[in-house]
Amino acid sequence: AQRVTQPEKLLSVFKGAPVELKCNYSYSGSPELFWYVQYSRQRLQLLLRHISRESIKGFTADLNKGETSFHLKKPFAQEEDSAMYYCALSGHSGGSNYKLTFGKGTLLTVNP
Amino acid sequence: GAVVSQHPSWVICKSGTSVKIECRSLDFQATTMFWYRQFPKQSLMLMATSNEGSKATYEQGVEKDKFLINHASLTLSTLTVTSAHPEDSSFYICSARDKVGQDFYEQYFGPGTRLTVT
């Protein structure tokens, strides 16, 4: 079974502070990991995926297979980063078992 | 980028009636679409995978006779909640799968439909 755990429901930081949103997963094969973001009153959208290895809006996430983690980090948080963040996992996206399993989400608030 | 729409965005229906929600991929063709349910302040829960031209695949615990899914074309999937009850009140979100690389896909999400059953 595949499972995604986001231990923090809420995370509050000040503008300019570093932020880390934690995500741990459980999967028997080689997973694809994603971070999705949902800004207030907007639809869910992909922030980044581990295979891309890119930085989006200053956010990065590294897949640590030993710790089964995929934490999302940003060195200097901005107020516009305030949103709900979901970590998600799937099997290989080109395969027949491509189903996204979402964590429960972390609501990030960046205070001025 | 790829856009997915849902209609209606908000619907109220009486207990015992049926309501249909549409999910459309506006600028790409999607052989696979997904239907999720989201309770207040909770995560998205996959209900079923909708495959164009074939039967939907339902997740464990989801009643296929209650949540009818039809994916008749490459741009449209519908979810019909039959004989709705107040406990079916929820936020229903669809997504559509599109190829983004040689061997990779991405899911694009609709804005969601809020169903309230009175």
Side-chain angles (χ1 to χ4, degrees), chain A residues 9 32 34 36 38 43-46 49 51 84 86 92-96 98-100 102-105, chain B residues 3-5 34 36 38 41-44 46 49 59 91 93 97 100 103-107 109-111:
Chain A
K9 262 188 165 180
E32 283 195 37
F34 308 83
Y36 283 84
Q38 189 170 28
R43 70 186 67 196
L44 200 65
Q45 56 185 285
L46 178 66
R49 61 198 302 169
I51 57 170
M84 179 69 89
Y86 293 97
H92 177 54
S93 68
S96 59
Y98 178 63
K99 293 192 301 185
L100 280 174
F102 286 88
K104 293 191 174 183
Chain B
V3 179
V4 174
S5 70
F34 302 87
Y36 296 85
Q38 187 178 32
K41 299 186 178 181
Q42 294 192 31
S43 188
L44 285 79
L46 180 65
T49 302
E59 295 300 300
F91 197 56
I93 302 171
R97 185 186 184 204
V100 294
D103 199 27
F104 293 99
Y105 291 77
E106 186 169 324
Q107 281 192 36
F109 287 81

Side-chain angles (χ1 to χ4, degrees), chain A residues 13-48:
Chain A
V13 301
F14 285 103
K15 176 183 172 181
V19 63
E20 181 180 52
L21 290 82
K22 290 186 169 51
C23 172
N24 289 89
Y25 67 90
S26 173
Y27 188 72
S28 56
S30 290
E32 283 195 37
L33 273 297
F34 308 83
W35 276 99
Y36 283 84
V37 61
Q38 189 170 28
Y39 300 102
S40 180
R41 299 183 185 279
Q42 293 188 31
R43 70 186 67 196
L44 200 65
Q45 56 185 285
L46 178 66
L47 180 62
L48 52 81

Side-chain angles (χ1 to χ4, degrees), chain A residues 10-14 78-79 81-83 85 107-111:
Chain A
L10 304 169
L11 185 61
S12 183
V13 301
F14 285 103
Q78 303 299 314
E79 288 180 69
D81 296 329
S82 297
Y85 291 81
L107 180 62
L108 174 65
T109 302
V110 182
N111 301 297

Side-chain angles (χ1 to χ4, degrees), chain A residues 57-109:
Chain A
K57 299 184 179 182
F59 285 97
T60 59
D62 291 317
L63 178 61
N64 186 321
K65 292 186 178 181
E67 295 183 358
T68 60
S69 68
F70 189 57
H71 303 326
L72 183 69
K73 301 176 184 178
K74 185 169 182 176
F76 307 103
Q78 303 299 314
E79 288 180 69
E80 54 264 31
D81 296 329
S82 297
M84 179 69 89
Y85 291 81
Y86 293 97
C87 183
L89 171 155
S90 79
H92 177 54
S93 68
S96 59
N97 59 345
Y98 178 63
K99 293 192 301 185
L100 280 174
T101 297
F102 286 88
K104 293 191 174 183
T106 298
L107 180 62
L108 174 65
T109 302

